[in-house]
Amino acid sequence: MIYALALVLLIGVLAYWRAPVIAWTLLIAAWLAAAQFMGGCSIAAGLWGAFAVVALILNLPPLRRAVFTGPVFKIFKKITPAMSQTEQEAINAGTVWWDKDLFSGKPDWKRLLAFPDPKLSPEEQAFIDGPTEALCAMVDDWKITHELKDLPPEVWQFIKDNGFLGMIVKKKYGGLEFSNYAHAKVVTKIATRGGTAAVSVMVPNSLGPGELLQHYGTEVQKDYYLPRLAKGLEVPCFALTSPSAGSDAGSIPDYGIVCRGSYTDPRSGEHFDNVLGIRVSWEKRWITLAPVATILGLAFKMYDPDHLIGDKDELGITCALVPTEHVGVEIGRRHYPGGAAFMNGPTSGRDVFIPMDWIIGGQANAGKGWRMLVECLSVGRCISLPAMSVATGKFTSFATGAFARVRDQFGLPIGKFEGVDEAMARIGAYTYQMEAAQNLALVGLDIGEKPSVLSAVLKYHNTERMRKVLNDAMDIHGGKAVVLGPRNYLGRAYQAIPIGITVEGANILTRSMIIYGQGAIRCHPFVLREMKSAMANDAVEFDQAITGHINFVISNIFRSLWLGLSGARFAASPKAGGSARYYRQLTRYSSAFALLSDMAMFSLGGTLKFREKLSARLGDMLSGLYIASASLKHFEDQGAQKDDLPLMHYAVQSAIYDVQQAMDGFLCNLPSKPLAWVLRKIIFPWGMTAKPASDRTGTKIARLMMTPGGARDRLVQGVYKPQDEADAVGVLEPAMLAIIASEAAEAKLKKLMRDGKFATITARERLDEALAKGWLSQEEFDVVTRARRLKREVIMVDDFDKSMTHHDEQMLSRVIF
């Protein structure tokens, strides 16, 4: 019994540390020798033969392939689901980074903390403090969305003249060549002032042809277009989405046929005859900046039925640059996406001839457009919408914290009521998570990664948190946020929520198919190797991959069980103190996630691809692990400030709790109930022990949001703060400070009222009486007067002449039709 227990313990240790096969062989040989030496010859002798056979098979690759992995390889090739070309290109696009660590079951926490801290260069900081601040000051969101339905001409010109459209363009072409981190922070700041300006700036930098040109363009294309994009001489857009192909972008019906034809270059006026080119027809919708674009990036399927450029009939998706004044290009009409006024509209063309050298990268890139798009979109999806979501979180934290301190009911600031502080805690913590998650991904981009899986995590979870923080902010502001007008700084953003949820990969699709669908293959240490070896019919590579995979599964079984039984108390942590337990718990849940992933693929095989609810829950696990780890990194990057502990605790605890709940939902719905029962006993031997953040922690977040100080400043850093108290946003912080300054004097007035000292009735009369009778000093009187005036400015809403409705109808008719 002692020897048996010793063997189990040693096997567990080797499995926990993922020892190689040779280590297992030596361990069991030593155990058998010890058993024989101690007198168990009759038992040990019988085991030596079986051990020798198994050891030879496992340690000699040719024999292992012949006896074990070879037959498995044949079965694997039959059951592996076929992948379309677009699926293969999507999987191969981009890189894996920190997400691979989370998939490994053994995240390297020292590696995480060693990633660079995100920082702005002096030049980038000066741009944010200078032109970006000035642009925000020029933006009047109500006027833009209600009256103009567009940016004013002077704002458009300022954007062009100051290089906002060329932030990503390299300096040698006249651009700013900002880091991805700086690009995101510029968009974030602008978005805290107005979505129309932010979208107009972000699209040319992340979703326009500029990114594609820099990576794939010919030198001629780069030399011509990039300087013009950098100077704002060109306004770009990119047309991918068709009316019948939204999420399924790979099935766009737009097509181009290789042929010879004639055209006149709209830029030079020069005419060309008998040119090799493409006759393209397209119908696109929902294309941002299309109504005002001068250069159209166009995605279409390319065909060569006459084999003019090769032996393939169908070349695949191709990306081209087409000047919008080219004959046959239709632009100019616009959509009006809920509450927002950024330029967005359709474009179409029928049998439009374009020369071959208008393909991005020239003829050599014909048919390579999907790979180009997926790689560049993975960069853009880390920046644009996540940055706007961070902006929403920061702005709602700033505005709601101030409003909840200024607005009172029943004699208390509303932020001190528990129902309100519960919603405020979510706003603050989700904002912390959003910024942390994006900052970590931006670090990856700036060190050369293209994390396609993490870009999907960011797109989905940041926009969903944006929706939640806006909902909570609307509830707290009440009527202030319901009545539209210049004083309402939340209404337009609330109306525009569906835009972020829908574009760049609809959220339902992203959660249920993309995050884990890509992640399971790209981030898993062995699955992609196995699939590639099957497609290449490489039995040697498959043997190495499947052997490692089996060791990986065994290890995660033991790791998950031990970490569950011990509560991960003995797992390694790179930090001591309050955050140490989170690193340990994340190690535990990373091992459990890796185990569940393998068991899902084992039990469901290729059908997992179609089990979208299970795939979504697996994606939620990966996302929660990422958000929690990013929050820990963010806490350290900001100096591990004691005042920030409530935000860190809430952010990490809620993310870990989400991981646990996703695992529970997965196990409840796994088709194989016996397997689910066994996995639950391994992963949750003591039950589900993770808890959401406490009410006490949430209250601390609400208080710091309502109190001037370092924690609030760090949370809302990057928000544009107008200096004009006549501005609906500019008055918020002065009003909060004035209310805080007046609290002592207001307390005196309340006591005088309770004591029946006043002979007057109204609040104004009593204030004057208190001054006249010496109960308040002149300074106290002035402080209270100012606080009450600013408070009224904060809580007031707009009203309009009844003709406003007629005005709206006229404006919509003129702009849209």
Side-chain angles (χ1 to χ4, degrees):
M1 182 62 71
I2 293 173
Y3 277 104
L5 290 174
L7 179 64
V8 171
L9 178 61
L10 289 171
I11 288 174
V13 170
L14 288 178
Y16 185 87
W17 294 109
R18 293 183 183 162
V21 173
I22 188 65
W24 290 84
T25 304
L26 294 174
L27 166 71
I28 296 174
W31 181 86
L32 287 171
Q36 189 174 34
F37 178 76
M38 294 300 293
C41 297
S42 61
I43 300 174
L47 293 176
W48 273 111
F51 166 73
V53 171
V54 174
L56 285 171
I57 292 173
L58 293 179
N59 286 279
L60 294 176
L63 184 58
R64 185 173 64 221
R65 290 195 296 273
V67 175
F68 173 55
T69 60
V72 173
F73 185 46
K74 293 178 181 178
I75 297 171
F76 186 84
K77 287 191 294 184
K78 292 179 181 179
I79 65 173
T80 300
M83 285 193 294
S84 66
Q85 182 180 350
T86 54
E87 286 177 314
Q88 291 182 41
E89 290 176 345
I91 287 171
N92 291 329
T95 60
V96 291
W97 183 52
W98 179 241
D99 40 342
K100 187 173 184 178
D101 269 72
L102 297 173
F103 229 110
S104 73
K106 288 179 63 177
D108 186 345
W109 300 118
K110 291 182 179 179
R111 177 171 177 256
L112 171 70
L113 298 181
F115 291 142
D117 298 347
K119 286 185 173 63
L120 297 169
S121 70
E123 180 186 4
E124 291 165 345
Q125 187 64 62
F127 187 84
I128 289 177
D129 295 339
T132 307
E133 185 84 4
L135 174 59
C136 290
M138 297 173 71
V139 171
D140 182 336
D141 198 53
W142 173 252
K143 185 176 182 180
I144 289 168
T145 58
H146 178 66
E147 297 177 17
L148 301 177
K149 311 297 182 187
D150 188 11
L151 295 175
E154 63 272 17
V155 173
W156 268 117
Q157 197 60 48
F158 185 87
I159 287 172
K160 295 174 182 179
D161 292 344
N162 286 274
F164 282 94
L165 301 185
M167 286 190 289
I168 66 166
V169 176
K170 295 187 182 301
K171 288 183 177 179
K172 70 177 182 178
Y173 299 110
L176 297 176
E177 199 173 344
F178 280 175
S179 65
N180 294 287
Y181 180 73
H183 173 192
K185 295 309 168 186
V186 170
V187 171
T188 296
K189 184 157 195 173
I190 300 170
T192 65
R193 188 56 171 170
T196 301
V199 171
S200 301
V201 166
M202 82 182 191
V203 166
N205 285 287
S206 61
L207 303 177
E211 182 81 10
L212 293 170
L213 275 171
Q214 292 205 129
H215 285 90
Y216 307 106
T218 65
E219 292 304 315
V220 172
Q221 290 170 340
K222 292 178 183 179
D223 290 340
Y224 179 78
Y225 280 113
L226 290 176
R228 295 177 63 82
L229 288 168
K231 296 174 184 177
L233 300 176
E234 301 280 2
V235 176
C237 70
F238 195 88
L240 173 62
T241 305
S242 299
S244 60
S247 298
D248 185 11
S251 67
I252 54 174
D254 316 290
Y255 65 93
I257 307 295
V258 178
C259 62
R260 290 192 171 273
S262 303
Y263 78 102
T264 300
D265 190 317
R267 302 299 171 88
S268 66
E270 190 174 358
H271 185 76
F272 300 89
D273 288 315
N274 196 29
V275 174
L276 183 64
I278 316 153
R279 196 165 298 281
V280 189
S281 296
W282 72 92
E283 183 187 18
K284 306 288 190 178
R285 289 290 185 272
W286 307 295
I287 310 305
T288 300
L289 295 186
V292 296
T294 61
I295 182 71
L296 173 69
L298 183 64
F300 57 91
K301 286 185 175 177
M302 188 168 168
Y303 299 88
D304 184 16
D306 297 327
H307 298 169
L308 296 178
I309 62 173
D311 57 2
K312 290 184 177 180
D313 290 335
E314 183 176 347
L315 297 172
I317 293 176
T318 300
C319 298
L321 290 177
V322 183
T324 54
E325 64 265 44
H326 186 53
V327 174
V329 177
E330 297 289 338
I331 65 164
R333 295 182 66 80
R334 67 181 292 191
H335 306 305
Y336 186 47
F342 61 85
M343 285 293 167
N344 181 278
T347 176
S348 61
R350 185 164 183 81
D351 294 331
V352 178
F353 182 81
I354 64 173
M356 197 67 68
D357 59 9
W358 285 8
I359 294 174
I360 297 177
Q363 182 176 319
N365 276 350
K368 298 180 181 178
W370 184 242
R371 175 72 180 267
M372 293 159 57
L373 286 172
V374 172
E375 287 193 341
C376 288
L377 283 173
S378 71
V379 174
R381 288 205 299 177
C382 282
I383 297 173
S384 300
L385 289 174
M388 294 194 72
S389 301
V390 170
T392 300
K394 284 180 171 289
F395 180 79
T396 53
S397 296
F398 170 79
T400 306
F403 182 83
R405 186 65 181 262
V406 171
R407 177 69 162 156
D408 61 8
Q409 292 288 279
F410 309 106
L412 277 177
I414 62 171
K416 292 188 177 180
F417 289 93
E418 289 194 357
V420 175
D421 95 22
E422 183 179 27
M424 291 179 68
R426 289 194 294 267
I427 293 173
Y430 285 153
T431 299
Y432 194 86
Q433 287 182 337
M434 287 190 286
E435 183 173 32
Q438 187 182 34
N439 280 0
L440 180 55
L442 293 171
V443 166
L445 291 179
D446 283 330
I447 62 175
E449 300 289 343
K450 292 184 178 180
S452 56
V453 176
L454 294 184
S455 72
V457 171
L458 275 180
K459 194 278 167 179
Y460 173 77
H461 287 279
N462 271 28
T463 55
E464 287 296 331
R465 280 161 173 74
M466 172 191 70
R467 171 158 41 189
K468 292 173 181 176
V469 299
L470 271 171
N471 279 340
D472 281 330
M474 292 287 289
D475 287 352
I476 293 169
H477 279 75
K480 170 77 173 178
V482 171
V483 178
L484 290 177
R487 295 175 185 268
N488 187 341
Y489 40 73
L490 293 176
R492 290 303 196 197
Y494 181 78
Q495 288 178 323
I497 287 173
I499 300 171
I501 300 298
T502 302
V503 301
E504 292 189 42
N507 276 15
I508 290 176
L509 168 85
T510 300
R511 175 176 177 261
S512 61
M513 295 179 67
I514 296 178
I515 293 175
Y516 188 76
Q518 280 189 320
I521 298 174
R522 288 304 311 277
C523 301
H524 194 286
F526 301 103
V527 168
L528 186 57
R529 288 177 60 190
E530 291 163 351
M531 294 181 70
K532 285 185 174 180
S533 65
M535 289 187 285
N537 199 30
D538 187 342
V540 174
E541 170 64 13
F542 181 81
D543 170 74
Q544 295 175 352
I546 195 68
T547 304
H549 197 160
I550 292 170
N551 191 20
F552 181 72
V553 172
I554 294 171
S555 171
N556 284 319
I557 291 172
F558 279 89
R559 287 177 62 83
S560 297
L561 180 59
W562 169 244
L563 291 168
L565 287 170
S566 65
R569 289 179 181 86
F570 306 107
S573 170
K575 292 290 178 180
S579 63
R581 69 182 186 273
Y582 298 136
Y583 291 101
R584 297 186 181 111
Q585 288 299 318
L586 288 174
T587 296
R588 172 193 173 185
Y589 285 108
S590 175
S591 294
F593 166 62
L595 177 60
L596 289 176
S597 294
D598 277 315
M599 292 301 101
M601 288 184 275
F602 168 76
S603 63
L604 296 171
T607 63
L608 179 59
K609 177 179 178 180
F610 307 104
R611 298 273 188 165
E612 294 176 21
K613 295 175 185 177
L614 293 177
S615 179
R617 292 185 179 99
L618 289 164
D620 290 343
M621 297 173 209
L622 177 61
S623 300
L625 291 169
Y626 175 73
I627 291 167
S629 59
S631 297
L632 289 168
K633 174 79 163 68
H634 188 58
F635 179 70
E636 297 297 332
D637 288 344
Q638 294 197 316
Q641 303 286 337
K642 183 179 179 181
D643 290 346
D644 294 349
L645 281 171
L647 288 163
M648 186 274 284
H649 285 312
Y650 196 117
V652 178
Q653 287 172 13
S654 63
I656 291 176
Y657 182 74
D658 289 343
V659 172
Q660 176 188 260
Q661 297 309 107
M663 289 180 173
D664 178 50
F666 176 85
L667 292 171
C668 286
N669 291 279
L670 192 65
S672 175
K673 297 307 176 185
L675 177 61
W677 184 87
V678 171
L679 289 171
R680 188 178 292 277
K681 295 302 179 183
I682 292 172
I683 294 171
F684 300 120
W686 308 119
M688 294 188 296
T689 55
K691 304 297 180 187
S694 68
D695 291 348
R696 183 180 179 187
T697 302
T699 296
K700 289 179 180 178
I701 293 175
R703 294 292 191 271
L704 72 83
M705 289 171 64
M706 294 189 294
T707 305
R712 173 180 161 85
D713 291 343
R714 285 185 290 275
L715 183 64
V716 305
Q717 184 179 11
V719 171
Y720 173 69
K721 301 174 184 177
Q723 301 303 305
D724 184 2
E725 291 182 3
D727 185 281
V729 176
V731 73
L732 288 170
E733 197 146 85
M736 180 180 72
L737 296 174
I739 289 293
I740 293 171
S742 71
E743 285 176 346
E746 289 283 12
K748 282 186 184 180
L749 293 170
K750 287 179 182 178
K751 186 176 187 306
L752 290 168
M753 185 176 65
R754 286 196 304 268
D755 294 343
K757 300 292 186 180
F758 288 112
T760 51
I761 297 175
T762 67
R764 180 67 208 186
E765 290 172 335
R766 288 175 174 176
L767 183 60
D768 291 337
E769 183 182 352
L771 176 65
K773 293 181 177 179
W775 297 335
L776 289 182
S777 67
Q778 182 64 51
E779 181 181 358
E780 290 173 318
F781 176 86
D782 292 341
V783 167
V784 172
T785 299
R786 171 175 165 76
R788 290 181 177 181
R789 176 178 62 81
L790 294 178
K791 175 182 176 181
R792 179 174 173 79
E793 287 297 317
V794 168
I795 65 176
M796 289 300 290
V797 299
D798 298 288
D799 53 76
F800 302 91
D801 183 88
K802 63 183 180 181
S803 63
M804 174 187 171
T805 301
H806 178 61
H807 169 74
D808 267 0
E809 291 172 353
Q810 286 183 323
M811 289 299 298
L812 286 173
S813 176
R814 188 173 81 234
V815 173
I816 298 177
F817 306 108

